[in-house]
Amino acid sequence: LLQSAKGAQAGGTPWISFFSPEEIVQMATDAGFPHARCVSATEWSALYFQNRTDGLKPARAEELLVATT
């Protein structure tokens, strides 16, 4: 966790907090989003970056919360 915060700070990204995927999904559900899930960097990289001809890859540590009503 500390290494992630230092890396974010060095890159100019404000570090606010850290949550496990289970915690953030529960927070979204508690906030009224009936459909919430975390998408790992591995999953969305396979979906959106797999066949790129320019070699662009996403940051390894980025995870996304997808929540809908």
Side-chain angles (χ1 to χ4, degrees):
L1 172 62
L2 185 57
Q3 185 68 19
S4 296
K6 286 181 179 179
Q9 185 178 22
T13 301
W15 186 266
I16 299 170
S17 57
F18 179 82
F19 299 100
S20 72
E22 297 80 16
E23 289 172 315
I24 200 72
V25 167
Q26 186 62 56
M27 290 173 69
T29 302
D30 292 347
F33 291 94
H35 309 287
R37 71 180 188 99
C38 282
V39 181
S40 71
T42 301
E43 184 179 351
W44 64 269
S45 179
L47 287 170
Y48 300 109
F49 290 83
Q50 185 174 21
N51 296 316
R52 290 189 63 105
T53 59
D54 61 3
L56 181 67
K57 302 271 186 214
R60 292 182 319 192
E62 298 296 326
E63 305 247 343
L64 300 173
L65 172 72
V66 177
T68 59
T69 58

